[in-house]
Amino acid sequence: MSLLPELRYPSVPELVATARALAAHRPGLCTLREIGVSRAGRPLHLLSVGHARRAVLVVAGAHANEPTGGGTLQVLAERVLNERELRAENSWHFLLCADPDGASLHVTPAPRSLFDYHLGFYRPAGPEQPEWSPSVLPPDRLPPETRALLGVIDELRPYLQVTLHGTDLGGSWVQLTRDVPGLAEPFAKSAAELHIPVETGASDAAGWPHSGPGVRVMPGPETGVAYPSMPDDARHSTWYHAHRYGGLTAVVEVPMWASDLVDDPAPHPAPAAAMRRLALRLLRDSREVERVLAEALPRLDGLSGLDGPLLRAARWALGLIPGLAEDWIQRPPVDTTMAYVGSVDAFGRRLPLRAASMLLRVLREADDRAAPRLEELVASWCEAYGERFQARWVPLERQVEHQSRTVLAAAQHAREQAA
């Protein structure tokens, strides 16, 4: 018997309701408890299944704009509950949403297009992201969501933490804080079966060692970073906290819209020139958003949205752009493949588009006269983004299935490594 609702992007209340139903259905195996509260007072829930000594922690909702993880977590929890062999070696612990405040602001019903997706877009500024905040804030200023996550890791001491992430457009890839030999093969097989491209040159993992196609291992602290201007260094995130107990973290990324352009290992004919061209476009696009913001700010003065999370996040994203563009222009490319340049192209479109989308929500709420013009800009950027990458929708069932398979494969191979 399945207690899951129809598969779709679930809200946090729906995730909690499903977890309560699972815990009520099998009270001897399942527990649901609060492990902290958000900055706004929303509870953070942990669903635990099984009683084995070795623990796997699965985290959903660390980034508000990456909704696939909630559906994956639901499917995984029920599968672990129904398949005895999955909990014979491991107890499984599911953090339903690491950022419920962010989830309340990002609106993802069932987007029909990239434009639909961006009309409800929200991604917090870096210091407000639970997993990233330790890389940009001192320990005494960490948000309560981060402290709750670190506390769960201290309590469970998982041999594996898996955090469920995603991207709007591109391919699937995995980031590891320590290598997991054998993971690359089932990951690639699953992606191929489900017609999801593998992002072989992800800009998020620029310069990191390969464990296999689409599987990257984060370098140690002695290694320099590809983009020095970016403040959020993954090596100082919550992902490394499991290392205190001999564990590791796997970050599993899946796309909402797929593009085969990020799965092309062929050498780029002129990578440095391409990076410069992308940097200049990034600066041009960001200036368009900044002009709208500068024009509208005097009219927004005194409104609650002026200091709200949407505008704060938009301004933070815009603030990253000058340094990042300089990195792309001044530093030699860390990867010279078509896939890498394609991934950078997508990243360069993503940042100003996200800032514009969040600013648009503020302007619409204020009924500001600049909103229609900015909406036209967001619509045109979304259209160009999709056309450039020949975007195709990945059915949610495939997103969830691939992410679930990768989590289970990571648990198996990391357990064999730890034995």
Side-chain angles (χ1 to χ4, degrees), residues 87-316:
R87 58 180 195 274
E89 295 281 346
N90 305 322
S91 59
W92 292 77
H93 307 270
F94 303 96
L95 180 56
L96 303 189
C97 182
D99 183 13
D101 293 351
S104 73
L105 285 170
H106 180 77
V107 182
T108 309
R112 296 178 299 276
S113 66
L114 282 164
F115 182 54
D116 284 341
Y117 169 75
H118 283 93
L119 285 178
F121 186 88
Y122 174 66
R123 183 185 179 100
E128 300 170 35
Q129 297 176 18
E131 292 182 332
W132 285 110
S133 62
S135 70
V136 293
L137 293 176
D140 61 340
R141 292 181 54 201
L142 295 178
E145 299 91 337
T146 300
R147 296 197 299 271
L149 175 55
L150 294 174
V152 165
I153 296 171
D154 288 336
E155 174 194 341
L156 299 175
R157 302 188 172 203
Y159 78 89
L160 175 67
Q161 175 186 211
V162 184
T163 178
L164 305 174
H165 284 250
T167 185
D168 46 26
L169 188 155
S172 178
W173 75 100
V174 179
Q175 305 170 64
L176 301 171
T177 59
R178 186 182 295 125
D179 194 14
V180 180
L183 176 60
E185 182 178 350
F187 166 75
K189 180 181 178 183
S190 172
E193 289 178 351
L194 296 169
H195 306 289
I196 298 173
V198 170
E199 191 148 342
T200 55
S203 60
D204 281 16
W208 295 2
H210 292 263
S211 179
V215 180
R216 295 293 188 101
V217 182
M218 298 177 197
E222 73 284 351
T223 306
V225 294
Y227 310 139
S229 69
M230 298 294 279
D232 43 2
D233 188 339
R235 296 170 298 182
H236 300 291
S237 69
T238 59
W239 299 344
Y240 272 84
H241 200 68
H243 285 222
R244 296 186 177 195
Y245 310 108
L248 64 97
T249 295
V251 183
V252 183
E253 307 264 6
V254 294
M256 300 171 73
W257 284 270
S259 172
D260 294 325
L261 299 185
V262 298
D263 192 11
D264 184 354
H268 192 283
M275 295 289 285
R276 178 178 177 81
R277 184 173 64 254
L278 296 176
L280 294 176
R281 188 196 65 206
L282 174 62
L283 290 170
R284 182 199 67 209
D285 290 352
S286 70
R287 289 183 190 121
E288 289 199 58
V289 184
E290 287 168 346
R291 279 195 291 270
V292 176
L293 176 60
E295 176 200 325
L297 271 179
R299 299 192 296 272
L300 297 175
D301 191 25
L303 298 178
S304 59
L306 190 58
D307 295 317
L310 285 163
L311 191 53
R312 193 162 59 241
R315 298 173 92 166
W316 184 80

Side-chain angles (χ1 to χ4, degrees), residues 19 36 63 66 114 120 251 284 375 397 410:
H63 284 148
E66 300 171 3
L114 282 164
V251 183
R284 182 199 67 209
E375 183 173 332
E397 292 79 5

